[in-house]
Structures are given as structure tokens and as C-alpha cells.
Amino acid sequence: MRVALAERYGPPEVAAVATRPLPEPGPGELRVRVLAASVGAADGAWRSGRPWFARLAFGLRRPRNPVMGSDFAGLVDAVGPGATRFAIGDRVFGATGAAGGAHAEFVVVGENGAIARLPQGVSWSDAAALCDGAMTALPFLRDGGHVGPGMRVLVNGAAGSVGGAAVQLGRHLGAEVTGVCSTAHLEHVRALGARHVVDRTQVDPMRTGERYDVVFDAAGKSTYRRARRALVDGGVYLTTVPSWAVMLQQLTSRLGRTRAVIMFTGLRSDDAKRPDLDELAALAAAGVIRPAIDRVLPIDRIAEAYEIVDTGHKRGSVVVTPSAEAGGER
Ligand SMILES: NC(=O)c1ccc[n+]([C@@H]2O[C@H](COP(=O)([O-])OP(=O)(O)OC[C@H]3O[C@@H](n4cnc5c(N)ncnc54)[C@H](OP(=O)(O)O)[C@@H]3O)[C@@H](O)[C@H]2O)c1
């Protein structure tokens, strides 16, 4: 089978396509023919080895598993001994997390892993993109921000995978969402469902005079110190990007009038992720959410996919199609 891999940390060019033996599913495992896989910010950290703490997850000197990729969608192709939850031909999607291996024509996953059935009508690319953005945005908004009807939510980085999903999910949860992005993405973010948009190149989104119940820093480019000014009493600053400051502020702000929260959604248990996959699949099938997709590229163009990811300004998700026999988008 063909895979995209990086044998060492480095720029996009270290990612290459190679051939590997077809993996066999062991007891309780499934082999999935991957028809779409996202190339996201975490994959960029995997390939580059930056920031440094990424190496704690992926390998200190070089990637432990050179075949990158977590988020996949495809068809069950083989079932290991004792695996009963899925059958050959089932449409599935999910995430392998730090185990990787999804940037390949086939990936082997545990049937009790972060994997769920994919309803008809949700495309392979959309399913992979859901794992890239919404699987992060949902727990942040629901568990970190307790977002509900009537709440005011500011999403920083609203054009990205996580931020774009947060705009859609925030609206679905009943909140009034304000999206922050650069000029080129204003209309896109409005179309995702943001009630208001703020051009971050023109104004400081934390100093507009507006106050929010939740500031979700999906891009992780702001700070609690800055966001505090834009929070109501009892408001929460959520960030996707760890720093020593926010780790400390998460502790110290517990007693204050506003709180700082950092979460690591990828580290949640598979048992916690599975119901979220089901919920997001149902929302996508019902047309409530529709992930934004910047680009769909064949896996041979993996280095180009990483170049787009590395810009830090993609619009939604970048998706690669590992299987030449993808058989169309749906
Ligand atoms: N903690 C977790 O559990 C977790 C899980 C998943 C991802 N993450 C992290 O979340 C971050 C976002 O991921 P993503 O997939 O959404 O990335 P992405 O798709 O690359 O989106 C990033 C967005 O940030 C915006 N941006 C760039 N520079 C900015 C700045 N200086 N100020 C404000 N916004 C800026 C860009 O929009 P404009 O060009 O319009 O400004 C872009 O759309 C990544 O750092 C990723 O590693 C964390």
C-alpha cells in the first residue's frame, strides 16, 4: 500500500510517498481503506517536530511512527478475529490520535477505538474534516465553555479548521457567535454562521468594547491577559495552544472573576470520543454543520498539503485522498 511518511523532522519536503506492506488486522481490529484523511496542524507538528513538546508525543529525535495522519474516513476492508462491531463494507470515520498511520491507503484500528459509522450523504472529505475541526471545537465549547442558548461567544481564528467548526457548533448550541479572522476570510466566516465578524487586521478584537461569556481562542494566538478585557464576570477564556502562562493561569484564575482554560481534546479517551463522532456525523448528515474544506489533494501531493497547513492561514481543512480507487466523493 502507498503511505505518506516523514522519516525525520523537517520542512514539508521531508514528507514523501512510499510503499509499505498491507497491514493485517489483529484480534478486535479492523482494516479501513482510507478514502480521505485530513492534514492538520497536529500533523504539521508531527512532521516538523515543532513546537518542542510535540516530540513528547511523536518521538524525541525522529517520528516514532513515520506514517503520519490521525483523521480518516473510508470503508471497512477486513475484520480481525473477534471484532464484531463493524462488517466489511461499512462506512466509517475516526481518529487514530498519536498512533498515526492514517495517511495511507489502509489503516488498522481497534474496533473500540475512536471510530464510528458514517451516514450516507456525508462525503469522505467532510468526514475527515469533522475529525480535524469539530472533534476539537465540540468539547471546547460544550465542556470547557458550557456554551448554551443566548450566550455570547467570540471565536478567534474563525476561518481555521477548529474555529470554523466552533462558529457552526456555537450557533447550533444557541449562542450568538462573533468570528475573528483576517480580511480575506470575512465573508467565509459570515457564511459559516457568525452573527458578527471582526477583521483582526483592522481592530483589536479584545478591545472593541463588546463583552463575551466565552472567548474561544481557536487559533491560540491571543492570551488570557488580553482576552480578560473582553469577558463578562464569570466568563471563560479557552485556548487550544499550551503555554507555561496559561497552564499557571488555569490554576490561579479559578478564584477570580474570569477563568482561563486549556484543554487537550486529542488526549481524551476513545470512550469519550465515540459519542462525539456519532453526534457530529448526525449533525453533518442533517446539514446542521458542513465542514469547510480548503483543498482536497491526492496523497502524492502530500508536501504541498503540508505547505498549505504550515502557512497557518488555511480556510478549513486540507484533505488528502490516499486511495486511487476512491470511487467518488460519497
Ligand atoms: N488543544 C487541543 O486539544 C488542540 C486540538 C486541535 C488543534 N489544536 C491547535 O489549535 C490550533 C488551530 O488549529 P486549526 O486546525 O484550526 O488551524 P488552522 O486551520 O491553521 O487555522 C488557524 C487560523 O488562525 C488564524 N490566524 C493566523 N494567525 C493569527 C493571528 N495572529 N491571530 C489570530 N488568528 C490567526 C488564521 O485565520 P486568518 O488567516 O483569517 O487570520 C487561521 O484560519 C493549532 O495550533 C492546533 O495545533 C489544539
Side-chain angles (χ1 to χ4, degrees):
M1 66 167 182
R2 287 179 338 137
V3 303
L5 46 68
E7 306 272 14
R8 61 184 173 88
Y9 292 125
E13 306 86 80
V14 300
V17 174
T19 305
R20 287 285 180 273
L22 189 66
E24 290 302 326
E29 291 182 335
L30 317 164
R31 186 173 66 209
V32 176
R33 184 152 74 98
V34 181
L35 297 175
S38 70
V39 185
D43 300 307
W46 187 323
R47 188 217 71 235
S48 64
R50 286 201 305 251
W52 65 267
F53 50 77
R55 298 186 183 217
L56 298 177
F58 302 131
L60 288 183
R61 299 187 59 187
R62 62 181 67 84
R64 209 174 292 120
N65 178 3
V67 184
M68 301 162 287
S70 165
D71 310 330
F72 64 89
L75 292 166
V76 175
D77 156 84
V79 175
T84 55
R85 288 188 59 221
F86 297 93
I88 290 173
D90 280 355
R91 292 164 56 88
V92 293
F93 75 123
T96 62
H103 292 169
E105 277 183 277
F106 297 89
V107 65
V108 168
V109 291
E111 68 164 356
N112 293 319
I115 181 168
R117 254 170 251 284
L118 181 66
Q120 292 289 343
V122 184
S123 74
W124 306 118
S125 301
D126 282 2
L130 283 175
C131 297
D132 183 28
M135 275 297 281
T136 296
L138 179 62
F140 263 98
L141 295 181
R142 181 193 57 203
D143 309 333
H146 304 288
V147 170
M151 286 172 72
R152 303 191 78 213
V153 175
L154 182 84
V155 177
N156 191 36
S161 304
V162 177
V167 170
Q168 297 189 339
L169 287 167
R171 196 171 107 143
H172 166 66
L173 292 168
E176 180 186 308
V177 180
T178 300
V180 179
C181 59
S182 57
T183 317
H185 295 149
L186 289 172
E187 280 316 308
H188 170 68
V189 171
R190 216 187 291 276
L192 290 174
R195 176 89 64 91
H196 314 282
V197 287
V198 176
D199 183 343
R200 68 175 177 83
T201 67
Q202 300 300 314
V203 282
D204 180 345
M206 306 305 170
R207 282 181 178 256
T208 58
E210 299 291 336
R211 293 277 181 279
Y212 303 94
D213 299 288
V214 172
V215 170
F216 179 26
D217 190 2
K221 298 285 187 187
S222 191
T223 61
Y224 174 54
R225 273 187 69 179
R226 270 187 268 164
R228 218 162 30 182
R229 290 192 282 258
L231 285 170
V232 299
D233 277 359
V236 186
Y237 169 74
L238 305 169
T239 184
T240 54
V241 175
S243 65
W244 293 117
V246 81
M247 305 272 216
L248 189 65
Q249 287 156 350
Q250 175 153 256
L251 296 174
T252 55
S253 68
R254 277 190 190 163
L255 300 172
R257 296 205 322 228
T258 58
R259 280 189 311 125
V261 173
I262 166 82
M263 290 168 64
F264 300 97
T265 55
L267 300 182
R268 298 183 309 146
S269 71
D270 291 339
D271 288 347
K273 289 177 187 171
R274 269 195 310 275
D276 286 358
L277 288 169
D278 286 332
E279 182 176 343
L280 294 171
L283 289 174
V288 175
I289 55 172
R290 176 84 204 266
I293 298 192
D294 186 299
R295 215 79 52 95
V296 180
L297 296 169
I299 202 165
D300 312 72
R301 291 166 68 181
I302 186 72
E304 190 181 332
Y306 275 115
E307 274 166 23
I308 299 165
V309 170
D310 279 13
T311 62
H313 296 284
K314 63 187 170 65
R315 184 186 280 198
S317 296
V318 173
V319 171
V320 289
T321 51
S323 179
E325 306 153 68
E329 253 301 286
R330 282 177 198 272

